[in-house]
Each structure stands twice: as C-alpha cells, then as structure tokens.
Amino acid sequence: MKKKGFIDSLSERISYLNADEKNEILSYYSELIDDRMDMGENEEDIVSSLGSLDVIAENISGSYYHRPQSYGESTAAKPIAPTSASTGATTNSEAPVKADKSDTFKTIFSIVEIIVLIALAAVCIGVVITTVIALIVGVFVMIGSFVFMTHDFFAGLIQLGVAIIIIAVNSIISKLANMLSRFSIRRLKILISKTPA
Amino acid sequence: MNIQLKKGLVEMCVLAIISKEPSYGYKIVSDMKEIMILSESTLYPILRRLESAKQLTTFTRDYNGRLRKYYQITSEGLRRLSAFKDEWEEMKSVYDFINERSVIRK
C-alpha cells in the first residue's frame, strides 16, 4: 500500500473522531512517512512497517480515553507503592487509592454523560421531525394564502405573513436541533468506542 | 518488563529526548532506537498523553514545503524528569543493596 492508500484507510477507521483530532493523527502519519521517504526509504516498505491498521486504530482509540488500567500517572505509581509501603513510607501509599476513586468517578461521569446524550439526541430528533411537519404545513398555508388573496386581499396577506413566520422559525429550530443531534451522536460514538469492555 | 513500568519509562525517554531541543516524530523514533524499538503507533498516544499532562507543547514549522510538528518540553515536563531522576537514584541504591545481598545459585 502507498501513502495515500494508508492515509485514506486510516481516515476511515477514525471517522468517529472530530475533524481536528482526525487531522492531527493523519498529519502525524503523513509527516512520518514523508520524513522516512526523504531518508530514502521505499514508500510501500514504510507503510507496511507501520504495522496493521487494527493496531494503529486501537492505539488511537486508547489514547482518547484513559482506561482505568492504563491510566498514565496514577497506575505508574502502583508498582512503586508496595515498595514504599514495605519500607514504612505511608505517604505515597495514598496515591493509588485516590487514583482509583477518580477512575470510578470518571466511569460514573461517562455513564451519566451517555444517558444525557441519548436523551438529548432523542429530543433533538423529535424536534427535527416536528419542525419538518410544521414546515410542510407552513408551505400549505402559504399556497392557501395566495388563493385566499383573490377573495380578500388583506386577510390573504396576513396569512402569507403568518406562513413566512412559521417557515422561518421552523427552519431555524430544525437546523439547530439537527446540529445538536449530530453533535450528541458523534460524542456518543466516541464515548462508546472508548468505554472499556 | 512490567508493562506499566515500561510505559512510564518510555514517557521519560521521550521527555529526555526533547529536553535538549524540540524534536519531531521521525527523529524521536530514531533516537529511541538507541535504547528500544518504539513503533510510530505507540509513540502517538504517548505524545498525546504528555501533551494533555502539559509536559510538552507543540508547534509546527515549514520544512521542505510541508509542515512538520515539533514537540517541546515544558517546565512541568522538566520537573517530572528531575523528579523521576531523584526517585530512581533512590531505587538504584535499593537495587545495589539487593544485588549485593542476594545469593543466587546457578
């Protein structure tokens, strides 16, 4: 596989990330491949030496969520803790306990976040459906107003105004709800992919 | 080697590499080869972790008409490096003691 093929496949694997995070990763690999090509290495050899896309994607998803067992600093203290405890230093032995608490807190927090996001997404999708129906109604009211105008011009004009307001307000609300639901679904995808199995 | 220990050590190696001057992905992987093989895909999460812990910052420079990202150590990173060195100084004396006192029959 050449560089372009690799970047494209990687891009697909990490499509659950937001644009910034995705670009950061893609430019990281792109730069590495370019640098190695500048050093005279063969393009396809470089790509194959990067290893399987599964491993790369796994490493990436791991880096976007601190799983309790790979929590950088706090667990780094663990191998040292038994040593300090056995030598009588009690101050250090508190550190891992604190870390465990904060991990539990993180897990609870992310569960709450998932529930809130699901509720938000559901409400937003409901709002989108409702506003789309209202938009269709608005269009009918608008068409009706032209017919009405031939009988009573001013009443028809008022109806046209009402129709325009209905359409405008619903367009704005549906657009906002649509954006919110997309955001919450994207965030959900990230959270779920990060949740330790 | 214990996986958590190794992880911590790799972070310290990366901090040590960039402590002299800012460095970039390819150079860091090459410098690491002196002591261990570190794959590019393993380096990425380490850099991210160090960045979110504010132990390094990044900036981009133009190189050969493309962008290259440099990683630069922060004062927080330097503090962690020196704390690590102090800690290992202690560990080393314990190791020396174990080494001297232990009787291993082959």
Side-chain angles (χ1 to χ4, degrees):
Chain A
M1 193 166 27
K2 292 238 176 191
K3 180 187 162 189
K4 195 181 176 307
F6 171 80
I7 296 289
D8 289 345
S9 326
L10 181 61
S11 175
E12 268 172 45
R13 294 290 184 107
I14 55 173
S15 55
Y16 62 90
L17 295 172
N18 72 35
D20 282 348
E21 293 166 334
K22 210 167 109 174
N23 286 338
E24 200 186 311
I25 292 162
L26 296 181
S27 51
Y28 171 82
Y29 279 101
S30 169
E31 180 198 305
L32 272 169
I33 296 169
D34 285 340
D35 274 332
R36 286 176 62 176
M37 275 162 69
D38 283 356
M39 296 305 286
E41 281 187 68
N42 173 280
E43 189 172 343
E44 287 179 24
D45 290 348
I46 299 169
V47 171
S48 63
S49 82
L50 291 173
S52 84
L53 277 162
D54 287 330
V55 174
I56 294 174
E58 167 68 28
N59 275 332
I60 291 167
S61 71
S63 75
Y64 280 93
Y65 180 78
H66 294 299
R67 293 183 187 178
Q69 67 269 33
S70 63
Y71 197 46
E73 299 240 318
S74 56
T75 36
K78 272 178 188 164
I80 300 162
T83 324
S84 53
S86 61
T87 50
T90 47
T91 43
N92 282 356
S93 58
E94 277 170 24
V97 180
K98 266 188 204 155
D100 286 347
K101 268 187 193 156
S102 77
D103 284 341
T104 320
F105 176 74
K106 278 203 177 78
T107 316
I108 292 168
F109 181 75
S110 59
I111 290 168
V112 170
E113 200 180 353
I114 286 173
I115 293 167
V116 169
L117 283 171
I118 290 172
L120 187 65
V123 168
C124 286
I125 289 166
V127 170
V128 169
I129 293 168
T130 318
T131 49
V132 166
I133 293 168
L135 267 175
I136 295 166
V137 171
V139 170
F140 277 111
V141 172
M142 200 173 179
I143 294 165
S145 72
F146 290 120
V147 180
F148 200 36
M149 261 187 242
T150 58
H151 299 285
D152 182 341
F153 183 73
F154 283 107
L157 202 62
I158 290 168
Q159 193 178 328
L160 179 64
V162 171
I164 290 171
I165 292 170
I166 292 174
I167 293 169
V169 168
N170 281 295
S171 307
I172 295 168
I173 296 174
S174 76
K175 183 83 194 160
L176 286 177
N178 189 21
M179 273 162 61
L180 251 175
S181 68
R182 270 163 202 269
F183 164 79
S184 44
I185 289 168
R186 203 181 61 207
R187 185 87 194 118
L188 265 176
K189 269 191 195 162
I190 298 173
L191 275 177
I192 289 165
S193 68
K194 285 170 188 166
T195 309
Chain B
M1 211 190 289
N2 175 307
I3 195 140
Q4 284 306 333
L5 187 60
K6 190 169 176 182
K7 223 172 183 168
L9 288 176
V10 174
E11 284 187 14
M12 299 322 294
C13 290
V14 171
L15 285 179
I17 288 169
I18 61 171
S19 68
K20 199 176 150 211
E21 56 182 356
S23 189
Y24 51 95
Y26 173 75
K27 183 86 179 11
I28 295 173
V29 173
S30 314
D31 286 353
M32 281 295 286
K33 279 192 184 129
E34 231 177 88
I35 180 82
M36 67 174 95
I37 298 294
L38 177 73
S39 74
E40 287 91 344
S41 65
T42 326
L43 176 65
Y44 183 77
I46 292 166
L47 291 171
R48 264 195 68 89
R49 217 166 28 240
L50 291 172
E51 191 181 1
S52 60
K54 297 197 164 56
Q55 288 161 11
L56 65 78
T57 56
T58 61
F59 62 89
T60 45
R61 276 276 159 76
D62 206 63
Y63 172 81
N64 262 355
R66 57 186 169 86
L67 286 178
R68 198 186 243 169
K69 193 171 187 175
Y70 284 84
Y71 304 90
Q72 183 171 30
I73 199 162
T74 62
S75 53
E76 185 57 41
L78 286 170
R79 245 198 305 281
R80 182 158 173 227
L81 256 183
S82 95
F84 174 86
K85 280 175 144 179
D86 291 346
E87 214 169 285
W88 275 70
E89 217 37 68
E90 248 183 272
M91 290 274 275
K92 224 166 88 188
S93 52
V94 176
Y95 169 79
D96 290 341
F97 172 83
I98 295 169
N99 204 23
E100 270 170 39
R101 291 294 192 92
S102 56
V103 184
I104 299 167
R105 289 185 192 89
K106 288 207 174 137

